[in-house]
């Protein structure tokens, strides 16, 4: 390379933004050109999106301009959508142009996994993005607003189905249980008219999580009116509800899809070998056979050798991968050894709405208010890692 190497980062979520931020610290202005491409002019905290989806938080609180985090004198920011990566030409095709790279970081996040269930894209809400959750929130409110003006099909308006009792489904329904009483009051609807179902294919909610904490979460949510249907896969989503494997049909105008994720469709479109849209990366986070392409966040697949299963895609891992990725790019640009990535899983804490949550941090189990406080501390920590104390001051949550 004669001129400065061109480093292109795709996606300004946890993985991409943190990689860009680290690179601006690791490399001097004269050592590389850094370009960040993102669909929107803002970054959003994907991990907060269950809140604006239910309407317990305004969506603007969960997003922030990119320059809250990055010094745009050091990074060339391109607002555009990635269409395809042309690996042979070392080029990325965007909706409105293209960009060449010497080193590429793919951090485009994930999309809904449907496992082939028909009707999801047509009839369910499955986009965990700012645009996606804003639509869910508006739709929910509109169901309440219509209720007194409809003669028929009124029960469906107030029946809410959450597909999947993973962390996303549980966190969303927790927020919904907080919002429903407020909506009932606003639209003069008796609380008992509203039905909330969480439908889960596996024999338990939150499969693989601590059973005592799962029981706590289920008991709490049931006490707030949620009905669980466990061991009960959804077979199809139809215009006015869902059909379960056992043949049962639940009529509902609102199906929120949260049955897991797959890597961004750009991965498969660009011809990478992938499992559910995720690339099984080398230990240094490069795509196999590509010395110049790093994959971080939900597009990357890494195996937990202890249990021989993939690590679940999380923000926690995306942020950690960004550090290794930036340091390895620095090694390629300036010389030095590439490091292997090893996840350091600190725990998992999930909110249940209001001042309730469950979690495991280290070996300690947390319930209720202490878990809820810990969740807010974790949310603030991710802000701190991305943008330092000033971002926590602008966007942070109050732990109490
Ligand atoms: P993202 O943070 O999703 O960022 C991807 C970025 O790419 C976005 O900015 C997007 O706009 C951009 N993009 C996408 N497609 C294109 C395109 N074609 N062109 C240009 N730009 C594009 N994990 C945890 O560790 N803890 C939690 O508490 C937690 N809570 C969660 C709660 C919810 C409701 C959800 C949905 C997920 C949660 N997760 C949590 C998982 C976590 O959010 C993801 O693992 C994490 O966001 C992955 O980071 P990423 O950088 O790969 O992708
Ligand atoms: P998930 O894979 O964790 O859970 C999806 C659930 O949907 C599973 O329990 C699965 O059995 C169920 N399911 C699959 N097909 C179904 C069907 N046809 N009918 C009914 N149920 C079905 O996915 P998620 O909850 O979307 O989370 C995605 C990722 O984000 C995970 O890695 C998760 O750990 C992470 N996340 C973490 C947090 C947190 O730490 N607080 C919160 C949200 C998400």
């Amino acid at each position: 390379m004669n001129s400065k190497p061109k480093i292109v980062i795709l996606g300004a979520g946890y993985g991409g933004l943190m990689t860009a931020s680290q690179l601006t610290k690791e490399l001097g202005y004269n050592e590389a050109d850094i370009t960040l491409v993102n669909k929107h002019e803002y970054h959003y905290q994907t991990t907060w999106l269950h809140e604006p989806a239910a309407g317990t938080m305004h969506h603007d609180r969960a997003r922030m301009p990119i320059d809250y985090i990055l010094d745009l004198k050091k990074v060339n920011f391109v607002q555009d959508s990635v269409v395809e990566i042309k690996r042979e030409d070392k080029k990325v095709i965007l909706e409105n142009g293209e960009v060449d790279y010497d080193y590429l970081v793919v951090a485009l996040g994930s999309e809904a996994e449907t496992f082939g269930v028909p009707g999801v894209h047509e009839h369910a809400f499955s986009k965990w993005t700012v645009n996606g959750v804003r639509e869910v929130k508006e739709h929910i409110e509109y169901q309440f607003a219509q209720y007194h003006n409809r003669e028929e099909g009124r029960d469906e308006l107030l029946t809410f189905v959450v597909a999947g009792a993973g962390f996303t489904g549980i966190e969303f329904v927790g927020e919904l249980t907080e919002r429903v009483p407020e909506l009932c009051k606003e639209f003069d609807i008796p609380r008992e008219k509203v039905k909330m179902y969480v439908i889960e294919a596996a024999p338990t909610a939150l499969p693989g999580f601590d059973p005592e904490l799962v029981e706590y979460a289920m008991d709490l949510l049931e006490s707030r009116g949620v009905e669980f249907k466990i061991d009960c896969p959804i077979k199809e989503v139809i215009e006015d509800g869902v059909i379960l494997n056992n043949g049962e049909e639940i009529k509902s105008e609102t199906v929120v899809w949260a049955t897991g994720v797959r890597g961004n469709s750009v991965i498969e479109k660009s011809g990478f070998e992938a499992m559910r849209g995720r690339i099984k990366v080398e230990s240094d986070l490069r795509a196999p056979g590509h010395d110049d392409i790093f994959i971080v966040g939900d597009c990357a697949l890494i195996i937990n050798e202890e249990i021989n299963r993939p690590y679940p895609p999380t923000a926690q891992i995306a942020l950690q991968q960004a550090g290794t990725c930036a340091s390895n790019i620095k090694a390629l640009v300036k010389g030095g050894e590439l490091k292997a990535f090893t996840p350091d899983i600190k725990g998992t804490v999930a909110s249940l709405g209001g001042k309730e949550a469950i979690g495991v941090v280290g070996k300690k189990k947390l319930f209720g208010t202490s878990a809820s406080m810990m969740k807010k501390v974790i949310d603030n920590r991710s802000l701190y890692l991305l943008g330092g104390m000033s971002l926590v001051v602008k966007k942070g949550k109050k732990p109490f």
Side-chain angles (χ1 to χ4, degrees):
M1 271 167 242
N2 300 326
S3 56
K4 285 193 280 183
K6 291 193 254 299
I7 303 168
V8 173
I9 301 160
L10 307 179
Y14 294 99
L17 207 45
M18 191 68 182
T19 304
S21 160
Q22 287 295 111
L23 279 172
T24 60
K25 291 172 192 143
E26 306 249 5
L27 293 173
Y29 179 72
N30 293 319
E31 289 174 314
D33 276 332
I34 304 170
T35 298
L36 174 67
V37 181
N38 194 54
K39 208 180 249 188
H40 314 286
E41 75 277 20
Y42 55 83
H43 159 79
Y44 51 82
Q45 296 284 96
T46 310
T47 59
W48 298 12
L49 290 178
H50 51 288
E51 298 179 59
T56 51
M57 171 196 279
H58 192 276
H59 58 264
D60 280 341
R61 276 217 61 203
R63 66 175 171 174
M64 56 216 71
I66 304 280
D67 67 0
Y68 271 29
I69 296 165
L70 286 183
D71 180 348
L72 294 183
K73 291 197 283 301
K74 294 182 179 166
V75 176
N76 169 35
F77 177 65
V78 177
Q79 188 195 334
D80 208 336
S81 282
V82 177
V83 176
E84 192 179 345
I85 300 159
K86 295 276 187 199
R87 294 172 286 159
E88 270 70 48
D89 306 333
K90 291 170 86 76
K91 187 184 284 248
V92 180
I93 309 298
L94 309 175
E95 235 168 58
N96 303 298
E98 52 185 53
V99 53
D100 296 332
Y101 63 83
D102 295 307
Y103 300 111
L104 183 69
V105 179
V106 184
L108 290 168
S110 59
E111 293 173 9
E113 176 62 276
T114 68
F115 298 106
V117 172
V120 175
H121 295 303
E122 296 81 359
H123 307 302
F125 295 97
S126 62
K127 292 193 172 80
W128 293 96
T129 60
V130 166
N131 287 333
V133 301
R134 193 156 43 186
E135 191 184 354
V136 176
K137 179 220 168 228
E138 292 294 327
H139 173 88
I140 291 171
E141 288 172 359
Y142 187 49
Q143 304 316 294
F144 281 81
Q146 286 182 88
Y147 181 77
H148 285 298
N149 303 315
R150 276 252 292 255
E151 295 292 313
E152 284 173 22
R154 296 165 83 186
D155 289 349
E156 288 97 294
L157 291 175
L158 298 183
T159 302
F160 299 93
V161 169
V162 178
F167 286 110
T168 302
I170 291 293
E171 287 200 318
F172 170 71
V173 84
E175 295 304 317
L176 188 62
T177 60
E178 286 287 298
R179 187 79 206 289
V180 159
E182 197 184 286
L183 289 168
C184 286
K185 195 161 176 239
E186 184 177 347
F187 293 97
D188 309 320
I189 291 168
R191 170 64 191 80
E192 59 278 12
K193 295 280 179 200
V194 179
K195 297 214 168 358
M196 291 172 278
Y197 292 98
V198 176
I199 302 175
E200 168 56 48
T204 169
L206 299 173
F209 202 52
D210 181 275
E212 195 188 352
L213 295 174
V214 175
E215 195 182 332
Y216 180 89
M218 288 179 74
D219 287 350
L220 179 92
L221 293 170
E222 279 169 348
S223 76
R224 295 186 191 159
V226 174
E227 194 173 318
F228 283 91
K229 286 188 175 284
I230 300 293
D231 213 357
C232 215
I234 295 176
K235 193 168 75 176
E236 189 176 351
V237 186
I238 52 176
E239 203 177 344
D240 57 350
V242 290
I243 303 174
L244 310 185
N245 254 13
N246 62 12
E248 189 186 343
E249 195 173 320
I250 300 176
K251 295 261 186 210
S252 166
E253 295 279 330
T254 312
V255 179
V256 176
W257 199 256
T259 67
V261 294
R262 53 186 294 112
N264 192 298
S265 49
V266 166
I267 297 285
E268 284 173 345
K269 192 168 179 205
S270 306
F272 287 98
E273 195 177 315
M275 291 157 73
R276 289 176 52 193
R278 301 173 73 195
I279 298 172
K280 188 161 177 277
V281 289
E282 304 288 2
S283 59
D284 57 19
L285 298 177
R286 284 186 287 185
H290 296 281
D291 288 348
D292 52 353
I293 303 182
F294 290 82
I295 317 289
V296 299
D298 286 1
C299 292
L301 179 82
I302 43 171
I303 300 292
N304 180 347
E305 302 292 351
E306 278 173 31
I307 52 170
N308 199 27
R309 293 192 55 183
Y311 279 98
T314 62
Q316 182 175 186
I317 289 185
L319 286 164
Q320 292 176 11
Q321 285 175 329
T324 305
C325 174
S327 143
N328 285 348
I329 291 178
K330 177 187 168 191
L332 289 173
V333 171
K334 293 174 67 160
E337 293 272 303
L338 271 68
K339 285 194 236 163
F341 173 70
T342 316
D344 174 18
I345 306 299
K346 314 249 184 245
T348 301
V349 183
S351 64
L352 299 172
K355 291 193 164 46
E356 286 283 352
I358 46 167
V360 178
V361 177
K363 289 204 163 68
K364 202 168 159 36
K365 287 189 210 181
L366 299 172
F367 301 79
T369 323
S370 57
S372 171
M373 276 160 55
M374 179 57 82
K375 178 78 175 104
K376 288 177 183 124
V377 169
I378 293 167
D379 286 349
N380 288 345
R381 181 173 180 269
S382 77
L383 291 175
Y384 180 75
L385 291 174
L386 284 170
M389 222 30 227
S390 70
L391 191 60
V392 181
V393 170
K394 283 182 188 133
K395 288 284 177 181
K397 293 182 176 177
K398 290 196 183 81
F400 308 103

